Amino acid sequence: TVFSEALGAALMMVVLLKKIPELRRVTPEVVSFSRKIVTKFFLEIVKIGGMVGLSDAGFSFIYVMLSGIISHFGKEPLAAIGIAHRFEGLPFFISLGVSMAVSPMVGQFLGAGAPQRARETVYLSLKILSAILLGISVIYYIAAPFLFRIFSTDPIIIRHGTEYLRMVAIFEVFLGFEVVFTGAFSGAGDTKPLFLIVFPVTLLRVPFSYLFAILLGMGTVAIWFTITFTTFLKGILLFLRFRQGKWEKKKI
């Protein structure tokens, strides 16, 4: 993994140097501009990117705690969600690709004084992505048990995995909402909503899973529902925040 990421970074640097020849020459102007970035823009970069970084770091920490709750029911549901996350990677990375395209376009349109074009770009991206995710959801819902049989012959793992993947499939479109709006807010430099919405709602998965699954004895189905419902909730809340339009007035 480390080697592949290092190779990818090196290849991207080669492409970047080819596309922007000026980067190859270390002139006094380049040195001066580099110092300006460090002294003038560093805190602004940290302020914008830090919110996203904290949110992502918090997500990883939350899943460590969530895994502890899932393991209460044995190794099978933990194995099932591990396999299911591989399937979830397909819609997630498709959404991430769209988000990476949306982010600079929103920034460019806002810089050009065309916030309406930025808004239209986000909504068009959501429509296209939602259609793709809907198709994936139908496949996942119908074929869930067959997909899990590729990776395991254990009937308990297949049962847990099918329950989880089918529940995820119902709310999959809202994963796209969350990821695309993350790109939109990042492009606008308004990343505060991401931390104030995404992190707290994701954090709710831990106490709610513990309450319903363990204390109330509803089992792993309650955990799967909590995960998928909070995905739905984050998508809706980010959509409502986006509609308010405060991101259009963000100054960087």
Side-chain angles (χ1 to χ4, degrees):
T1 300
V2 174
F3 174 76
S4 63
E5 290 180 350
L7 181 62
L11 290 173
M12 284 189 284
M13 181 60 71
V14 170
V15 173
L16 190 63
L17 290 173
K18 284 185 177 180
K19 287 184 175 293
I20 310 177
E22 292 80 5
L23 292 175
R24 303 178 203 167
R25 297 189 294 271
V26 184
T27 62
E29 291 78 14
V30 171
V31 173
S32 176
F33 182 69
S34 299
R35 288 174 179 168
K36 186 178 180 182
I37 289 177
V38 173
T39 57
K40 186 176 181 180
F41 301 126
F42 179 75
L43 290 179
E44 190 68 29
I45 291 171
V46 172
K47 184 179 176 182
I48 294 172
M51 292 292 181
V52 180
L54 286 173
S55 181
D56 290 345
F59 182 87
S60 300
F61 177 69
I62 289 165
Y63 256 89
V64 170
M65 294 188 289
L66 203 58
S67 295
I69 297 173
I70 297 170
S71 65
H72 177 84
F73 299 95
K75 62 183 180 181
E76 290 85 2
L78 201 59
I81 196 171
I83 296 171
H85 282 165
R86 276 42 179 188
F87 292 120
E88 283 188 279
L90 176 62
F92 173 77
F93 284 112
I94 291 173
S95 302
L96 186 62
V98 175
S99 176
M100 291 175 68
V102 165
S103 184
M105 292 180 72
V106 167
Q108 288 173 2
F109 282 129
L110 289 181
Q116 185 58 33
R117 292 292 300 276
R119 185 184 292 269
E120 291 170 357
T121 298
V122 174
Y123 287 151
L124 177 60
S125 300
L126 275 177
K127 290 177 183 177
I128 296 171
L129 180 60
S130 295
I132 296 171
L133 295 185
L134 185 60
I136 294 174
S137 296
V138 171
I139 294 171
Y140 278 0
Y141 192 89
I142 295 172
F146 305 102
L147 292 171
F148 271 88
R149 287 193 188 103
I150 298 172
F151 296 94
S152 176
T153 57
D154 188 321
I156 301 176
I157 293 177
I158 294 171
R159 175 173 61 83
H160 282 298
T162 299
E163 289 173 349
Y164 177 79
L165 197 59
R166 283 179 169 170
M167 205 168 291
V168 164
I170 297 172
F171 294 97
E172 197 70 81
V173 169
F174 296 98
L175 169 69
F177 274 51
E178 178 185 350
V179 179
V180 167
F181 284 126
T182 296
F185 284 120
S186 297
D190 186 20
T191 53
K192 195 174 181 180
L194 299 176
F195 182 74
L196 296 180
I197 293 174
V198 174
F199 179 73
V201 176
T202 306
L203 186 60
L204 288 176
R205 293 177 178 180
V206 176
F208 281 2
S209 293
Y210 185 79
L211 171 64
F212 291 113
I214 296 178
L215 295 184
L216 298 181
M218 296 174 68
T220 55
V221 173
I223 302 175
W224 310 154
F225 180 77
T226 299
I227 292 172
T228 53
F229 182 75
T230 50
T231 298
F232 160 78
L233 193 58
K234 285 186 287 184
I236 292 298
L237 291 175
L238 287 172
F239 171 69
L240 294 175
R241 173 73 184 201
F242 184 80
R243 283 192 63 183
Q244 290 178 348
K246 293 181 180 179
W247 56 274
E248 297 177 4
K249 303 175 180 65
K250 182 72 176 180
K251 300 296 182 184
I252 300 177

